[in-house]
Amino acid sequence: MPALRVLQPGVHTTIQDLGRPGWQRFGVSVAGAMDPALLTLANRLAHNPAGHACLEWTLQAPVLQAEGDVLLAVAGDAVLVLDGERMPAWRSVRLEPGQILAIEAIGLRGYVAVQGGVQVPQVLGSRSTHVRSGLGGLEGRALRHDDRILLAEQPPGVEFACDPWPLPDTVRVLPGPHAHLWNAATLAQFYAHDWQVTARSDRMGMHLDGPPLASTGAQLLSEGTPWGTVQVPGDGKPLVLLADRQPTGGYPQIAVVIQADLGVLAQKRPGQTVRMQPVTQEQARESWRIHQKRLDSWLTRPAPPATARLLGLDLVGPGWLDDV
Amino acid sequence: MIAHPTLGPTAGTPWNTMHACLAQPPFPRIQPCGDAALRVELGDRIDPDVNARVHHLASQAQHLPGVIETVPGYATLLVHHAPDLNDPQKLQREIEALASQPALALAPGTLHEVPVRYDGQDLPRVADRLGLTPAQVVALHTSVELRVYLLGFAPGFAYLGGLPRALHLPRLPTPRQLVPAGSVLLGGAQTAVLPVAMPSGWHILGTTRVQPFDLARDPPFLLQPGDRVRFVQEG
């Protein structure tokens, strides 16, 4: 069976698909790709259905060695290095047995798809990793040096490329269910401030720094918390709940990030700032429509093969197109 | 009054808070929570009847078109739906209709007797803080039937209600990095069995062999909302 050998795992690389919804009422987090649009594009470039399990990198991307003929695709801001050739990501690459692909991450998060998908067992219907509870992915944890990831038997297809997916800066929000517990001045402060992303942030939550928001004084009961909930814990500093969040929480919820902007959150690195822009339900729905339409119609096109391989092909005879 | 461009008239000033309280509609209250969920409030306190209605509503609402899943809280239900629903108002009306129906009486939940070895590292300090002996803490902890209000926080983790007031104790100021699975914990006004090794700021009273979460078992989640739990001293 073909496989990928992890030569360098990166800082926090986990196997993710589109998550395991449907089990939150049993305390099971949804997990899944922090940037679902990019996971979808990586899969598209690898000729996969949108939701196949991929590798998600954070901060630093892996170095992988092919065991077998494989087609890998990388969606995310990065440079690919193959046989000394450097090329932009946003493309798929055919690897021959033993070839090593190094991915130099530029964006905070990105995805490596393999044609046929990553073969790890499904847990409650998904291959997504939730490290906190040790579920899914490869043994419920981040990848380590020398891990071997099994792949499907799949003859590698044609290499494709696409334009980089745009990365907007604004984070649009709707008022949270407890927004009425704060006074106007505090709400204005929340919306006006350029909150700084701290290094404490991870797949569970984005911890923001800035002048603390006044406490509501309210004692709240635990309740469900959607992806993108902006909570305000005791220290007054906003915490945005992300893919690995617990299904329930008890801190006051001041706002909820709209679905279309969850990927923006995924790419905000420590030191960058976030400003919350209030929008209406109608604007949120329209944003989602635009986002989905754009994603559905994001075009891929055949990619120029890597130079070294091209030099190895016989371009004179009639059969070279079959090799490309 | 200052009107926020999107949020409307000022909320939360003393006059407005009072006015808002007077103007609050009776339960059930339903409003969007973000653009992919609806939040239903059936009450504002920990109450077994309110909670039973939450779970009843959850079991019905989860089958409505466009609903991805429902997440019960103590007195609220979060209904996660597809963000591209054709008619979100329709879903809201359907849920309102379901929530307004009188709830059927729930069958009494299963009673789980949970044997505990009360040898937790925090037991002496907890007893001291509460002005009790460790034996008295154990006696109190095993004296009541606790009710499962909801699951959350971790797979199979049950929020148990009914802990005697004499055992209420603030959590540790700094959570421990890793508490073993099977730990029987005390924190705030709650007690619980930790299903998975996790960080926790709760006090460790002891351990149990009972596994609230076991993927290899059918059912994987042992404790269900409405079930009752009684801790029993082992050995």
Side-chain angles (χ1 to χ4, degrees), chain A residues 15-94:
Chain A
I15 292 169
Q16 301 293 342
D17 54 26
L18 290 171
R20 56 177 63 81
W23 299 93
Q24 289 187 75
R25 71 186 185 281
F26 298 107
V28 179
S29 298
V30 181
M34 289 276 282
D35 195 341
L38 257 53
L39 180 122
T40 301
L41 290 178
N43 276 321
R44 190 173 299 169
L45 292 165
H47 312 285
N48 287 339
H52 265 27
C54 299
L55 273 50
E56 173 187 89
W57 83 69
T58 310
L59 214 66
Q60 194 184 69
V63 177
L64 303 166
Q65 182 168 42
E67 293 182 2
D69 282 295
V70 299
L71 183 83
L72 285 188
V74 179
D77 199 3
V79 170
L80 310 185
V81 186
L82 178 66
D83 291 338
E85 290 290 322
R86 299 173 66 81
M87 61 197 110
W90 308 101
R91 60 167 296 155
S92 38
V93 174
R94 262 178 74 167

Side-chain angles (χ1 to χ4, degrees), chain A residues 20-28 30 123-124 132-135 174-175 177-184 187 191 221-227 245-249 253 256-260 278-281 284-285 288, chain B residues 4 6-7 10-13 24 31-37 39 44-46 62 68-76 78 80 83-86 88 150-157 159 196-199 213 215 221 224:
Chain A
R20 56 177 63 81
W23 299 93
Q24 289 187 75
R25 71 186 185 281
F26 298 107
V28 179
V30 181
V123 173
L124 297 173
R132 201 60 162 335
S133 51
L135 289 183
L174 290 161
H178 308 124
H180 61 280
L181 295 177
W182 283 277
N183 63 28
L187 288 173
Y191 287 110
L221 303 175
S222 291
E223 58 176 277
T225 42
W227 191 357
R245 77 202 173 283
Q246 288 146 2
T248 53
Q253 301 165 37
V256 187
V257 177
I258 70 171
Q259 296 283 293
V279 296
T280 64
Q281 281 285 340
R285 279 171 60 79
W288 179 252
Chain B
H4 186 280
T6 306
L7 298 178
T10 301
T13 58
Q24 287 272 32
Q31 54 173 174
C33 185
D35 58 340
R39 180 178 181 269
D44 57 7
R45 64 206 65 206
I46 300 178
Q62 70 192 33
I68 296 172
E69 65 181 308
T70 60
V71 183
Y74 277 100
T76 57
L78 195 67
H80 293 271
D84 56 355
L85 270 190
N86 270 335
L150 62 144
L151 305 183
F153 178 68
F157 181 97
Y159 286 74
V196 173
M198 288 182 79
F213 172 57
L215 269 179
F221 309 102
Q224 294 296 323

Side-chain angles (χ1 to χ4, degrees), chain A residues 40-308:
Chain A
T40 301
L41 290 178
N43 276 321
R44 190 173 299 169
L45 292 165
H47 312 285
N48 287 339
H52 265 27
C54 299
L55 273 50
E56 173 187 89
W57 83 69
T58 310
L59 214 66
Q60 194 184 69
V63 177
L64 303 166
Q65 182 168 42
E67 293 182 2
D69 282 295
V70 299
L71 183 83
L72 285 188
V74 179
D77 199 3
V79 170
L80 310 185
V81 186
L82 178 66
D83 291 338
E85 290 290 322
R86 299 173 66 81
M87 61 197 110
W90 308 101
R91 60 167 296 155
S92 38
V93 174
R94 262 178 74 167
L95 300 184
E96 280 152 18
Q99 270 196 305
I100 295 169
L101 177 71
I103 305 167
E104 294 176 2
I106 301 170
L108 180 66
R109 291 192 169 92
Y111 297 86
V112 183
V114 186
Q115 187 173 6
V118 165
Q119 305 298 302
V120 292
Q122 285 195 332
V123 173
L124 297 173
S126 163
R127 296 187 165 87
S128 289
T129 315
H130 188 251
V131 172
R132 201 60 162 335
S133 51
L135 289 183
L138 188 68
E139 300 165 6
R141 56 168 175 81
L143 298 187
R144 295 178 196 148
H145 164 72
D146 224 29
D147 274 340
R148 195 161 172 270
I149 303 167
L150 294 177
L151 308 173
E153 289 281 2
Q154 188 110 20
V158 176
E159 294 172 332
F160 268 75
C162 67
D163 287 341
W165 182 251
L167 182 57
D169 195 53
T170 50
V171 173
R172 291 163 294 184
V173 301
L174 290 161
H178 308 124
H180 61 280
L181 295 177
W182 283 277
N183 63 28
T186 309
L187 288 173
Q189 183 198 344
F190 171 68
Y191 287 110
H193 194 72
D194 284 314
W195 299 96
Q196 192 169 68
V197 181
T198 72
R200 235 181 110 199
S201 305
D202 57 16
R203 281 181 46 91
M204 273 189 71
M206 176 182 285
H207 293 256
L208 298 175
D209 200 12
L213 298 170
S215 169
T216 65
Q219 285 283 3
L220 298 173
L221 303 175
S222 291
E223 58 176 277
T225 42
W227 191 357
T229 298
V230 184
Q231 288 185 323
V232 185
D235 63 4
K237 304 200 183 174
L239 165 59
V240 189
L241 299 183
L242 302 173
D244 277 3
R245 77 202 173 283
Q246 288 146 2
T248 53
Y251 293 125
Q253 301 165 37
I254 194 168
V256 187
V257 177
I258 70 171
Q259 296 283 293
D261 289 350
L262 296 176
V264 178
L265 291 175
Q267 300 298 348
K268 285 279 182 186
R269 55 172 75 237
Q272 289 185 325
T273 58
V274 174
R275 174 176 294 224
M276 311 285 182
Q277 183 196 335
V279 296
T280 64
Q281 281 285 340
E282 292 67 37
Q283 287 170 327
R285 279 171 60 79
E286 184 58 21
S287 305
W288 179 252
R289 257 195 296 271
I290 292 170
H291 171 89
Q292 281 305 100
K293 188 152 175 259
R294 181 186 284 163
L295 183 61
D296 289 344
S297 59
W298 203 253
L299 292 175
T300 58
R301 55 188 177 269
T307 314

